[in-house]
Amino acid sequence: MAREYPDTVARVVTLADTAPEAVTDALLAELLAPQPAPVVLRTATGRQGLELVEVAPGALGGTGAGPAGAGAAEAAALGLDRDSVVLLVGGARGITAKFAATLAAACRCRIELLGRTPAPNGPEAAGTAGARTPAELRAVLAARGGLKPAEINREAELILAQREITATLGELAALGSEARYRAVDFRDRDAALQAVKEIHADHGRLDGVVFAAGVIEDRLIAEKTPESFQRVYGTKTTGAATLLAALEELPDRPGFAVLFGSISAVLGNRGQADYAAANDALESLGAGWAERTGNRALTVHWGPWAPVGGHTGMVSPELGREYARRGIGLIDPDEGTAALLRELAWGEESVRAVVYTASGW
């Protein structure tokens, strides 16, 4: 809100003392405070703001562990090998797919991918298989007749998404990992719980979990509808809460649970009030789960990722140009996924959230 309304004082104040008189005194003090900090902590020791501080997770965390192979030492430190099972929620595309490939290259573990896109049910129809670009694909679909423009766009997006799923599964197999994809919407609690239980039953174990689901519908606050807000917010929060609840019901829990957040949850971003709120809540869900269970949960608030190969990341060409105008760098996918593996292997296990970004924000 502060980023969208710079002339308005917009501030979150966390109070240690919530007695009415203390709240009143804090409110008056904040109205008079000269510092426009968007987040303030008021405790018995005084008033404090928040500031990001760069901290390396030790020597190995910054450089890797030598010539054993990309990520091999990190995977070994996490106890991951060919028999291990890692579940990634968020589809077989984009950043999720890239991290799955990093895991496969590091240890050839078994990989389970869950996402909302319907799974391909066989080879692509010959009529569309030759259309390689979105424009070519839409033209082929339009030539068939019988579809409205919106339907053509949806069908083209589905075909492109399923191609990416197929390519990801092929890439993981080529790297030596047994990989499987199934369509599950984690907003459907019963379906999600059943999927997690079935995966554990199939393998007899679940060694690590990554939750990377999310949707973006960027609009300024004044233009955001409640329905759009709930789609963005619910995909993150309902999905993560469902996954974490499912893990608590397993006979043995994974060694780590990673939640993919966003730097917008930490520093804000114009047009992303819903996405910022969702990822801030995501961090709270992970921290609460770790406190209840004693298991490791880490929320990684990512800056924007650059596209790579067939994976487009989360940055459109238009948004990429806007970031370039603001001097914001994009995370190299190879460096980003390697950094996450090093964080899990060598980072302090008590840390509940970190920010990874290629530049200032």
Side-chain angles (χ1 to χ4, degrees):
M1 186 179 291
R3 286 185 177 271
E4 291 188 25
Y5 297 94
D7 295 331
T8 298
V9 174
R11 186 176 300 154
V12 173
V13 183
T14 298
L15 302 174
D17 185 351
T18 57
E21 184 176 347
V23 172
T24 302
D25 290 343
L27 172 60
L28 293 174
E30 287 301 322
L31 290 173
L32 298 173
Q35 297 292 337
V39 179
V40 170
L41 310 177
R42 298 186 71 95
T43 67
T45 60
R47 179 180 186 266
Q48 298 173 311
L50 299 177
E51 181 181 356
L52 293 184
V53 177
E54 186 172 357
V55 178
L60 290 176
T63 63
E74 286 77 11
L78 287 168
L80 298 178
D81 56 26
R82 297 194 69 158
D83 294 326
S84 301
V85 180
V86 178
L87 166 63
L88 296 99
V89 178
R93 308 167 59 200
I95 300 171
T96 317
K98 183 62 183 175
F99 188 59
T102 298
L103 287 170
C107 63
R108 301 193 295 278
C109 62
R110 293 174 287 180
I111 294 174
E112 295 279 353
L113 296 158
L114 302 181
R116 288 189 297 171
T117 301
N121 55 11
E124 186 178 335
T128 60
R132 305 317 303 169
T133 68
E136 290 174 356
L137 187 55
R138 287 193 293 268
V140 170
L141 294 172
R144 290 179 176 176
L147 292 177
K148 299 176 181 178
E151 294 171 331
I152 291 172
N153 287 334
R154 283 196 296 270
E155 182 67 17
E157 289 172 358
L158 174 59
I159 292 172
L160 291 170
Q162 290 181 330
R163 285 180 184 176
E164 200 169 343
I165 292 169
T166 300
T168 295
L169 293 175
E171 180 183 10
L172 297 177
L175 289 168
S177 277
E178 173 191 324
R180 178 171 59 173
Y181 172 86
R182 70 176 79 182
V184 179
D185 188 341
F186 264 69
R187 294 174 299 180
D188 182 340
R189 180 179 175 85
D190 291 340
L193 291 173
Q194 183 65 26
V196 173
K197 290 179 180 178
E198 287 178 359
I199 289 170
H200 188 278
D202 288 346
H203 299 286
R205 60 193 292 177
L206 187 55
D207 300 274
V209 172
V210 177
F211 181 82
V215 296
I216 291 178
E217 297 181 16
D218 291 358
R219 293 287 188 278
L220 295 175
I221 293 170
E223 301 167 357
K224 175 63 62 171
T225 66
E227 294 77 17
S228 177
F229 183 97
Q230 286 301 331
R231 280 193 297 272
V232 174
Y233 188 82
T235 297
K236 280 280 185 185
T237 58
T238 302
T242 298
L243 174 62
L244 295 173
L247 297 181
E248 289 194 52
E249 296 186 15
L250 298 180
D252 53 300
R253 300 189 188 109
F256 62 85
V258 178
L259 308 175
F260 277 17
S262 169
I263 194 171
S264 67
V266 181
L267 298 176
N269 196 26
R270 281 176 56 84
Q272 290 194 328
D274 47 4
Y275 198 62
N279 286 290
D280 184 55
L282 189 74
E283 178 184 330
S284 297
L285 288 168
W289 182 79
E291 185 175 340
R292 288 195 309 276
T293 65
N295 294 101
R296 186 179 186 186
L298 176 71
T299 299
V300 182
H301 291 301
W302 296 108
W305 287 64
V308 61
H311 306 308
T312 57
M314 298 291 282
V315 178
S316 66
E318 296 80 6
L319 189 54
R321 288 191 290 271
E322 171 62 16
Y323 284 146
R325 186 188 66 79
R326 290 168 54 186
I328 295 173
L330 303 182
I331 296 171
D332 176 270
D334 290 326
E335 294 179 3
T337 52
L340 175 55
L341 201 53
R342 290 196 297 267
E343 177 71 40
L344 288 173
W346 317 122
E348 173 55 55
E349 291 194 12
S350 63
V351 172
R352 299 287 175 243
V354 294
V355 174
Y356 271 93
T357 180
S359 70
W361 185 249

